[in-house]
Amino acid sequence: MPKVLRKYWRLSQRSRTFATIQYLLFMGILVWTVVHGANQMGYQWQWYNIPDLFVKEFRGEYYVGRLTKGLWVTLQLTFWCVGLTLLVGLITALLRMSNSISGKALATGYLEVVRNTPLLVQLYLFYFVFSPILGIDRFWTGVVCLTFYEGSFVAEIIRSGIQSVDRGQWEAGDAVGLKKGDIYRYIVIPQAIPIMLPPLTGQIINLVKHSAIVSVIAVADLTTEGRNVIADTFMSFEVWFTVAGIYLAITLSLSIFVHWLERRAAFSR
Amino acid sequence: MQKPIIKLRGVCKLFGQFQALYDVSFDVKLGERVVVCGPSGSGKSTMIRCINRLEEHDSGEITVDGIELTEDMENILSVRREVGMVFQQFNLFPHLTVLENLVLAPMRARKLSRTEAEKTAMEYLERVRIPDQASKYPAQLSGGQQQRVAIARSLCMKPKIMLFDEPTSALDPEMIKEVLDVMIELARDGMTMIVVTHEMGFAKTVADTMVFMDHGRIVEVAPPSTFFTSPKSDRTQLFLSQILSH
């Protein structure tokens, strides 16, 4: 249960009623502003058309709607990016911590370049320069670009996680004659993962949100499909609310899942 | 004359500007029990940490069981497999059970099968008198028990030499004895040991040789009988009078 809710239940009966009224009043004003503003503009609400964008029934047969198709592309994008990002992040982190001068220089150079240029510019660079050279399609251009962007943050999360493991653990591993690779694998990484999990989740949630940017290179993700639907139907209010809601659902379920994972890890000890 | 199993010749070690070891030369014979004492910052820990290359010496020569310690990683690994080490802070692996702590290195570095490794592990847990704690995690044990697990973990690699770096300094007084008892037993079985400690009672019981260090130098080497009764150097006398006075 979120902290706010726990605090809410600890309030006295009177203050709880007061807080509820305060909250509902604020939300009411917010909703009223939107609805009233839309009416003033003469906006025609068509919420009844939204379900068709997920699944459409036509003469007894069901068809996948456009938002569902977009969502599927976003999920695929996220799936590949998460896997590759962890890989790139791990390799970069290990290179940065290695004794090799060239490895360190390579990793540091990559981190500095990627983290100090705008993501949008990187995407254009990948789309207009690298992908024609490498001959990859727009979906994979998006995957590669996002991977390198998020990978730079993940690398730092992994590095700080590994370095937060007590130095004595390394020494104990060394003292019993384990090789460096074994010390990482059996001693350091298992202890670093619980430390890295919360910031990594934050980064994956960022990844889901940042993935919307691939709509500028016309990858048919959730955002692109939303925009296309609006171009056809002019339902901009309903569609953007829905699209935002879907992103929210993905990110919230991710963080709930990781919360559960953390608690389970904590309890098994 | 028996050949020394550990040989230090003119070993120097710098930490930045601070000279931790200054021209240390010293031999340990097979089966010899050496107790190293001295004030803090005198280089005792640094010296024994150089023997299994947890610290890299800057000059001089260290030979362990005929293998010289150099940059060569294979040499370092083979020395480390012959030399067990027990730390002040135990350094058990907190995410593994006691048994897993004990079998990890034999399985990965000695390539033993799990059954073999577990059999050896249980034997050593018997010897340190805590076989019933095998499936617990380190955090569930007392300090004394943890340190005994750490000793068993080192023994599982069947080392020829054991290094102890202030093994009882982080323990509550009532737990010191159980750890020292295990170490005394180990000494009686003929293990070659170098022990950095302030436990002078222990030193009198087991040591063949006492070493006194100060400011990165070995000041005095003597058998305990002469070391405690008639130390040659004034510095040693002063140190002993301070720690034995109460």
Side-chain angles (χ1 to χ4, degrees), chain A residues 166-180 182 185-188 190-191 268-269, chain B residues 49 52 54 74 77 80-81 83 85 87 91-96 104-105 108-109 137 153-154 157:
Chain A
D166 181 41
R167 211 170 62 106
Q169 295 290 307
W170 281 98
E171 292 186 349
D174 278 337
V176 285
L178 288 173
K179 290 191 176 131
K180 205 173 173 186
D182 282 340
R185 191 171 148 200
Y186 295 102
I187 301 171
V188 175
Q191 292 185 61
S268 73
R269 194 55 42 84
Chain B
R49 287 163 61 88
N52 67 349
L54 288 184
E74 278 310 309
L77 284 176
R80 283 176 180 164
R81 284 169 203 158
V83 181
M85 183 158 201
F87 300 89
N91 294 350
L92 292 175
F93 308 132
H95 61 300
L96 301 178
L104 178 61
R108 298 302 307 172
Y137 285 94
R153 179 176 67 182
S154 298
M157 285 296 284

Short mmCIF file of all heavy atoms in Angstrom, two decimals, chain A residues 166-180 182 185-188 190-191 268-269, chain B residues 49 52 54 74 77 80-81 83 85 87 91-96 104-105 108-109 137 153-154 157:
data_model
loop_
_atom_site.label_atom_id
_atom_site.label_comp_id
_atom_site.label_asym_id
_atom_site.label_seq_id
_atom_site.Cartn_x
_atom_site.Cartn_y
_atom_site.Cartn_z
N ASP A 166 30.74 -4.63 -0.28
CA ASP A 166 31.88 -4.43 0.62
C ASP A 166 33.18 -5.00 0.04
O ASP A 166 33.20 -6.08 -0.54
CB ASP A 166 31.57 -5.10 1.97
CG ASP A 166 32.69 -4.90 2.96
OD1 ASP A 166 33.23 -3.79 3.00
OD2 ASP A 166 33.01 -5.86 3.68
N ARG A 167 34.27 -4.23 0.22
CA ARG A 167 35.57 -4.63 -0.32
C ARG A 167 36.03 -5.96 0.29
O ARG A 167 36.74 -6.75 -0.34
CB ARG A 167 36.60 -3.54 0.01
CG ARG A 167 37.70 -3.38 -0.99
CD ARG A 167 38.47 -2.12 -0.66
NE ARG A 167 39.08 -2.22 0.66
CZ ARG A 167 40.39 -2.41 0.85
NH1 ARG A 167 41.20 -2.48 -0.17
NH2 ARG A 167 40.89 -2.51 2.06
N GLY A 168 35.62 -6.22 1.52
CA GLY A 168 35.98 -7.47 2.19
C GLY A 168 35.49 -8.70 1.44
O GLY A 168 36.09 -9.77 1.53
N GLN A 169 34.39 -8.54 0.70
CA GLN A 169 33.86 -9.66 -0.08
C GLN A 169 34.82 -10.04 -1.20
O GLN A 169 35.04 -11.21 -1.48
CB GLN A 169 32.49 -9.29 -0.65
CG GLN A 169 31.43 -9.06 0.41
CD GLN A 169 31.05 -10.36 1.08
OE1 GLN A 169 30.71 -11.33 0.42
NE2 GLN A 169 31.16 -10.39 2.39
N TRP A 170 35.38 -9.02 -1.84
CA TRP A 170 36.39 -9.27 -2.87
C TRP A 170 37.60 -9.96 -2.25
O TRP A 170 38.13 -10.93 -2.80
CB TRP A 170 36.87 -7.94 -3.49
CG TRP A 170 35.94 -7.39 -4.49
CD1 TRP A 170 35.00 -6.41 -4.30
CD2 TRP A 170 35.84 -7.76 -5.86
NE1 TRP A 170 34.34 -6.17 -5.47
CE2 TRP A 170 34.84 -6.97 -6.44
CE3 TRP A 170 36.52 -8.69 -6.66
CZ2 TRP A 170 34.48 -7.09 -7.77
CZ3 TRP A 170 36.17 -8.80 -7.99
CH2 TRP A 170 35.15 -8.00 -8.55
N GLU A 171 38.02 -9.44 -1.10
CA GLU A 171 39.23 -9.99 -0.47
C GLU A 171 39.01 -11.44 -0.07
O GLU A 171 39.90 -12.27 -0.25
CB GLU A 171 39.61 -9.14 0.74
CG GLU A 171 40.07 -7.76 0.34
CD GLU A 171 40.59 -6.95 1.51
OE1 GLU A 171 40.40 -7.38 2.65
OE2 GLU A 171 41.17 -5.88 1.25
N ALA A 172 37.82 -11.73 0.46
CA ALA A 172 37.53 -13.10 0.86
C ALA A 172 37.56 -14.01 -0.37
O ALA A 172 38.10 -15.11 -0.32
CB ALA A 172 36.18 -13.18 1.54
N GLY A 173 37.00 -13.53 -1.48
CA GLY A 173 37.02 -14.32 -2.71
C GLY A 173 38.45 -14.53 -3.20
O GLY A 173 38.83 -15.63 -3.59
N ASP A 174 39.24 -13.46 -3.17
CA ASP A 174 40.64 -13.56 -3.57
C ASP A 174 41.38 -14.55 -2.67
O ASP A 174 42.13 -15.39 -3.14
CB ASP A 174 41.33 -12.19 -3.44
CG ASP A 174 41.06 -11.31 -4.65
OD1 ASP A 174 40.74 -11.86 -5.73
OD2 ASP A 174 41.15 -10.08 -4.52
N ALA A 175 41.13 -14.42 -1.37
CA ALA A 175 41.90 -15.21 -0.41
C ALA A 175 41.66 -16.71 -0.57
O ALA A 175 42.55 -17.51 -0.30
CB ALA A 175 41.58 -14.78 1.02
N VAL A 176 40.47 -17.12 -1.01
CA VAL A 176 40.25 -18.55 -1.20
C VAL A 176 40.63 -19.00 -2.60
O VAL A 176 40.36 -20.13 -2.99
CB VAL A 176 38.79 -18.99 -0.89
CG1 VAL A 176 38.54 -19.01 0.60
CG2 VAL A 176 37.78 -18.14 -1.62
N GLY A 177 41.23 -18.10 -3.37
CA GLY A 177 41.77 -18.50 -4.67
C GLY A 177 40.77 -18.53 -5.80
O GLY A 177 40.97 -19.24 -6.79
N LEU A 178 39.68 -17.77 -5.68
CA LEU A 178 38.72 -17.71 -6.78
C LEU A 178 39.20 -16.75 -7.86
O LEU A 178 39.86 -15.75 -7.56
CB LEU A 178 37.35 -17.25 -6.27
CG LEU A 178 36.56 -18.25 -5.44
CD1 LEU A 178 35.31 -17.58 -4.87
CD2 LEU A 178 36.17 -19.45 -6.27
N LYS A 179 38.85 -17.07 -9.11
CA LYS A 179 39.19 -16.17 -10.20
C LYS A 179 38.24 -14.98 -10.21
O LYS A 179 37.13 -15.05 -9.68
CB LYS A 179 39.08 -16.90 -11.54
CG LYS A 179 40.16 -17.93 -11.73
CD LYS A 179 40.15 -18.42 -13.17
CE LYS A 179 41.29 -19.38 -13.40
NZ LYS A 179 40.86 -20.61 -14.06
N LYS A 180 38.67 -13.90 -10.85
CA LYS A 180 37.88 -12.66 -10.87
C LYS A 180 36.46 -12.91 -11.40
O LYS A 180 35.49 -12.43 -10.82
CB LYS A 180 38.60 -11.64 -11.75
CG LYS A 180 38.24 -10.21 -11.38
CD LYS A 180 39.09 -9.21 -12.15
CE LYS A 180 38.57 -7.81 -11.87
NZ LYS A 180 39.23 -6.79 -12.67
N ASP A 182 34.71 -15.63 -11.33
CA ASP A 182 33.91 -16.36 -10.34
C ASP A 182 33.49 -15.45 -9.20
O ASP A 182 32.39 -15.60 -8.66
CB ASP A 182 34.72 -17.54 -9.78
CG ASP A 182 34.74 -18.71 -10.75
OD1 ASP A 182 33.86 -18.74 -11.63
OD2 ASP A 182 35.63 -19.56 -10.64
N ARG A 185 30.61 -13.49 -10.43
CA ARG A 185 29.42 -14.29 -10.69
C ARG A 185 28.78 -14.83 -9.42
O ARG A 185 27.56 -14.80 -9.28
CB ARG A 185 29.83 -15.45 -11.60
CG ARG A 185 28.66 -16.20 -12.15
CD ARG A 185 29.10 -17.19 -13.21
NE ARG A 185 28.22 -18.34 -13.18
CZ ARG A 185 28.55 -19.51 -13.69
NH1 ARG A 185 29.73 -19.69 -14.23
NH2 ARG A 185 27.69 -20.51 -13.63
N TYR A 186 29.59 -15.32 -8.49
CA TYR A 186 29.02 -16.00 -7.33
C TYR A 186 28.93 -15.12 -6.09
O TYR A 186 28.17 -15.42 -5.18
CB TYR A 186 29.83 -17.26 -7.01
CG TYR A 186 29.75 -18.29 -8.10
CD1 TYR A 186 30.78 -18.46 -9.01
CD2 TYR A 186 28.60 -19.08 -8.24
CE1 TYR A 186 30.69 -19.40 -10.02
CE2 TYR A 186 28.50 -20.01 -9.24
CZ TYR A 186 29.54 -20.16 -10.13
OH TYR A 186 29.46 -21.09 -11.13
N ILE A 187 29.76 -14.08 -6.03
CA ILE A 187 29.81 -13.31 -4.79
C ILE A 187 29.29 -11.89 -4.97
O ILE A 187 28.40 -11.45 -4.26
CB ILE A 187 31.25 -13.28 -4.23
CG1 ILE A 187 31.74 -14.71 -3.97
CG2 ILE A 187 31.32 -12.45 -2.97
CD1 ILE A 187 33.19 -14.80 -3.63
N VAL A 188 29.83 -11.17 -5.96
CA VAL A 188 29.52 -9.74 -6.03
C VAL A 188 28.17 -9.46 -6.69
O VAL A 188 27.33 -8.76 -6.13
CB VAL A 188 30.67 -8.99 -6.75
CG1 VAL A 188 30.30 -7.53 -6.93
CG2 VAL A 188 31.95 -9.11 -5.94
N PRO A 190 25.43 -11.33 -7.19
CA PRO A 190 24.22 -11.68 -6.41
C PRO A 190 23.94 -10.69 -5.29
O PRO A 190 22.79 -10.48 -4.93
CB PRO A 190 24.54 -13.06 -5.84
CG PRO A 190 25.59 -13.62 -6.71
CD PRO A 190 26.39 -12.46 -7.21
N GLN A 191 24.98 -10.08 -4.73
CA GLN A 191 24.75 -9.11 -3.66
C GLN A 191 24.42 -7.73 -4.22
O GLN A 191 23.79 -6.92 -3.55
CB GLN A 191 25.99 -9.00 -2.77
CG GLN A 191 26.26 -10.25 -1.98
CD GLN A 191 27.42 -10.07 -1.03
OE1 GLN A 191 27.41 -9.23 -0.16
NE2 GLN A 191 28.46 -10.88 -1.22
N SER A 268 13.21 -13.99 1.67
CA SER A 268 13.87 -15.29 1.55
C SER A 268 15.16 -15.31 2.37
O SER A 268 15.78 -16.33 2.53
CB SER A 268 14.19 -15.60 0.10
OG SER A 268 15.26 -14.80 -0.35
N ARG A 269 15.60 -14.15 2.85
CA ARG A 269 16.85 -14.10 3.60
C ARG A 269 16.66 -14.55 5.03
O ARG A 269 15.70 -14.23 5.65
CB ARG A 269 17.36 -12.64 3.54
CG ARG A 269 18.78 -12.41 3.96
CD ARG A 269 19.85 -13.21 3.26
NE ARG A 269 19.77 -13.41 1.83
CZ ARG A 269 20.21 -12.55 0.91
NH1 ARG A 269 20.70 -11.42 1.26
NH2 ARG A 269 20.17 -12.85 -0.34
N ARG B 49 49.12 -9.65 4.59
CA ARG B 49 48.31 -9.48 3.38
C ARG B 49 49.18 -9.52 2.12
O ARG B 49 48.68 -9.79 1.03
CB ARG B 49 47.50 -8.20 3.45
CG ARG B 49 46.33 -8.29 4.43
CD ARG B 49 45.80 -6.93 4.79
NE ARG B 49 45.30 -6.22 3.62
CZ ARG B 49 44.06 -6.32 3.18
NH1 ARG B 49 43.20 -7.08 3.81
NH2 ARG B 49 43.68 -5.66 2.11
N ASN B 52 49.63 -13.36 0.70
CA ASN B 52 48.72 -13.94 -0.31
C ASN B 52 48.29 -12.88 -1.33
O ASN B 52 47.26 -13.02 -1.98
CB ASN B 52 47.52 -14.63 0.34
CG ASN B 52 46.60 -13.66 1.05
OD1 ASN B 52 46.94 -12.51 1.23
ND2 ASN B 52 45.44 -14.14 1.44
N LEU B 54 47.03 -9.94 -1.21
CA LEU B 54 45.91 -9.02 -1.12
C LEU B 54 46.46 -7.60 -1.23
O LEU B 54 45.76 -6.68 -1.64
CB LEU B 54 45.14 -9.19 0.19
CG LEU B 54 44.29 -10.47 0.30
CD1 LEU B 54 43.51 -10.49 1.59
CD2 LEU B 54 43.37 -10.64 -0.89
N GLU B 74 48.52 -16.61 -12.59
CA GLU B 74 48.47 -18.05 -12.30
C GLU B 74 49.26 -18.35 -11.02
O GLU B 74 48.82 -19.11 -10.17
CB GLU B 74 49.04 -18.85 -13.48
CG GLU B 74 48.02 -19.08 -14.59
CD GLU B 74 46.69 -19.63 -14.08
OE1 GLU B 74 46.70 -20.63 -13.33
OE2 GLU B 74 45.64 -19.04 -14.42
N LEU B 77 47.23 -17.14 -8.05
CA LEU B 77 46.12 -18.03 -7.74
C LEU B 77 46.62 -19.31 -7.06
O LEU B 77 46.01 -19.79 -6.11
CB LEU B 77 45.33 -18.38 -9.00
CG LEU B 77 44.40 -17.27 -9.51
CD1 LEU B 77 43.75 -17.69 -10.83
CD2 LEU B 77 43.32 -16.95 -8.50
N ARG B 80 47.45 -18.52 -3.52
CA ARG B 80 46.25 -18.30 -2.70
C ARG B 80 45.54 -19.60 -2.35
O ARG B 80 44.87 -19.69 -1.32
CB ARG B 80 45.28 -17.37 -3.44
CG ARG B 80 45.72 -15.92 -3.36
CD ARG B 80 44.81 -15.04 -4.17
NE ARG B 80 45.24 -13.64 -4.09
CZ ARG B 80 44.83 -12.71 -4.92
NH1 ARG B 80 43.99 -13.01 -5.90
NH2 ARG B 80 45.24 -11.47 -4.79
N ARG B 81 45.68 -20.60 -3.24
CA ARG B 81 45.04 -21.89 -2.92
C ARG B 81 45.80 -22.64 -1.84
O ARG B 81 45.25 -23.51 -1.17
CB ARG B 81 44.94 -22.74 -4.19
CG ARG B 81 43.81 -22.24 -5.07
CD ARG B 81 43.82 -22.86 -6.44
NE ARG B 81 43.09 -21.98 -7.34
CZ ARG B 81 43.23 -21.97 -8.66
NH1 ARG B 81 44.08 -22.79 -9.23
NH2 ARG B 81 42.54 -21.14 -9.39
N VAL B 83 47.30 -20.97 0.66
CA VAL B 83 47.32 -20.10 1.83
C VAL B 83 45.89 -19.71 2.20
O VAL B 83 45.20 -19.08 1.43
CB VAL B 83 48.15 -18.83 1.55
CG1 VAL B 83 48.18 -17.94 2.79
CG2 VAL B 83 49.57 -19.19 1.14
N MET B 85 43.15 -17.64 4.64
CA MET B 85 43.21 -16.40 5.41
C MET B 85 41.92 -16.17 6.19
O MET B 85 40.83 -16.40 5.68
CB MET B 85 43.45 -15.21 4.50
CG MET B 85 43.61 -13.91 5.28
SD MET B 85 44.50 -12.72 4.30
CE MET B 85 45.08 -11.60 5.53
N PHE B 87 39.88 -13.22 8.37
CA PHE B 87 39.89 -11.77 8.51
C PHE B 87 39.30 -11.33 9.84
O PHE B 87 38.49 -12.04 10.44
CB PHE B 87 39.05 -11.14 7.40
CG PHE B 87 39.54 -11.44 6.02
CD1 PHE B 87 39.09 -12.56 5.33
CD2 PHE B 87 40.44 -10.60 5.38
CE1 PHE B 87 39.53 -12.84 4.04
CE2 PHE B 87 40.89 -10.86 4.11
CZ PHE B 87 40.43 -11.98 3.44
N ASN B 91 34.20 -11.55 6.88
CA ASN B 91 33.98 -11.52 5.43
C ASN B 91 33.33 -12.78 4.90
O ASN B 91 33.71 -13.31 3.85
CB ASN B 91 35.28 -11.26 4.67
CG ASN B 91 35.84 -9.89 4.95
OD1 ASN B 91 35.16 -9.05 5.56
ND2 ASN B 91 37.05 -9.63 4.53
N LEU B 92 32.34 -13.29 5.62
CA LEU B 92 31.56 -14.40 5.06
C LEU B 92 30.67 -13.85 3.95
O LEU B 92 30.40 -12.65 3.91
CB LEU B 92 30.71 -15.04 6.15
CG LEU B 92 31.49 -15.78 7.24
CD1 LEU B 92 30.55 -16.26 8.32
CD2 LEU B 92 32.26 -16.95 6.64
N PHE B 93 30.22 -14.73 3.05
CA PHE B 93 29.34 -14.29 1.97
C PHE B 93 27.90 -14.28 2.50
O PHE B 93 27.33 -15.34 2.72
CB PHE B 93 29.48 -15.20 0.76
CG PHE B 93 30.92 -15.38 0.33
CD1 PHE B 93 31.43 -16.65 0.08
CD2 PHE B 93 31.76 -14.29 0.19
CE1 PHE B 93 32.76 -16.81 -0.30
CE2 PHE B 93 33.08 -14.45 -0.19
CZ PHE B 93 33.59 -15.71 -0.44
N PRO B 94 27.32 -13.09 2.70
CA PRO B 94 26.05 -13.03 3.44
C PRO B 94 24.86 -13.62 2.67
O PRO B 94 23.86 -13.96 3.29
CB PRO B 94 25.84 -11.52 3.65
CG PRO B 94 26.64 -10.87 2.58
CD PRO B 94 27.81 -11.77 2.32
N HIS B 95 24.98 -13.74 1.35
CA HIS B 95 23.84 -14.23 0.56
C HIS B 95 23.86 -15.75 0.43
O HIS B 95 22.98 -16.32 -0.21
CB HIS B 95 23.85 -13.59 -0.82
CG HIS B 95 25.10 -13.90 -1.61
ND1 HIS B 95 26.35 -13.56 -1.17
CD2 HIS B 95 25.28 -14.53 -2.78
CE1 HIS B 95 27.24 -13.96 -2.05
NE2 HIS B 95 26.62 -14.56 -3.04
N LEU B 96 24.88 -16.39 1.00
CA LEU B 96 24.99 -17.84 0.91
C LEU B 96 24.86 -18.46 2.30
O LEU B 96 25.24 -17.84 3.29
CB LEU B 96 26.34 -18.24 0.31
CG LEU B 96 26.66 -17.72 -1.09
CD1 LEU B 96 28.06 -18.17 -1.50
CD2 LEU B 96 25.64 -18.22 -2.10
N LEU B 104 31.89 -23.22 -2.02
CA LEU B 104 32.07 -22.41 -3.24
C LEU B 104 33.48 -22.52 -3.80
O LEU B 104 33.68 -22.91 -4.96
CB LEU B 104 31.73 -20.94 -2.94
CG LEU B 104 31.92 -19.97 -4.11
CD1 LEU B 104 31.04 -20.35 -5.29
CD2 LEU B 104 31.63 -18.54 -3.69
N ALA B 105 34.49 -22.21 -2.98
CA ALA B 105 35.86 -22.21 -3.49
C ALA B 105 36.35 -23.61 -3.88
O ALA B 105 36.92 -23.77 -4.96
CB ALA B 105 36.80 -21.56 -2.49
N ARG B 108 34.76 -24.31 -7.27
CA ARG B 108 35.16 -23.47 -8.41
C ARG B 108 36.67 -23.49 -8.61
O ARG B 108 37.14 -23.48 -9.75
CB ARG B 108 34.70 -22.02 -8.20
CG ARG B 108 33.21 -21.85 -8.11
CD ARG B 108 32.48 -22.36 -9.33
NE ARG B 108 33.01 -21.79 -10.57
CZ ARG B 108 32.63 -22.20 -11.78
NH1 ARG B 108 31.75 -23.16 -11.92
NH2 ARG B 108 33.15 -21.63 -12.85
N ALA B 109 37.45 -23.46 -7.52
CA ALA B 109 38.90 -23.33 -7.69
C ALA B 109 39.62 -24.67 -7.63
O ALA B 109 40.68 -24.82 -8.20
CB ALA B 109 39.46 -22.37 -6.63
N TYR B 137 22.07 -18.82 7.47
CA TYR B 137 22.82 -17.73 6.83
C TYR B 137 23.73 -17.08 7.88
O TYR B 137 23.41 -17.07 9.07
CB TYR B 137 21.85 -16.69 6.25
CG TYR B 137 21.19 -17.17 4.99
CD1 TYR B 137 19.96 -17.80 5.01
CD2 TYR B 137 21.83 -17.02 3.76
CE1 TYR B 137 19.37 -18.27 3.85
CE2 TYR B 137 21.26 -17.48 2.59
CZ TYR B 137 20.01 -18.10 2.64
OH TYR B 137 19.44 -18.56 1.49
N ARG B 153 35.90 -22.29 6.36
CA ARG B 153 35.89 -21.98 4.92
C ARG B 153 37.31 -22.01 4.36
O ARG B 153 37.55 -22.54 3.27
CB ARG B 153 35.25 -20.61 4.67
CG ARG B 153 35.25 -20.22 3.21
CD ARG B 153 34.54 -18.91 2.96
NE ARG B 153 35.26 -17.77 3.54
CZ ARG B 153 34.83 -16.52 3.48
NH1 ARG B 153 33.66 -16.26 2.90
NH2 ARG B 153 35.52 -15.55 4.02
N SER B 154 38.25 -21.43 5.11
CA SER B 154 39.64 -21.46 4.64
C SER B 154 40.19 -22.87 4.62
O SER B 154 40.87 -23.26 3.68
CB SER B 154 40.52 -20.60 5.55
OG SER B 154 40.09 -19.28 5.52
N MET B 157 39.83 -25.45 1.65
CA MET B 157 40.73 -25.44 0.49
C MET B 157 41.98 -26.25 0.78
O MET B 157 42.91 -26.28 -0.03
CB MET B 157 41.09 -24.00 0.12
CG MET B 157 39.98 -23.23 -0.55
SD MET B 157 39.53 -23.95 -2.15
CE MET B 157 40.88 -23.38 -3.17
#
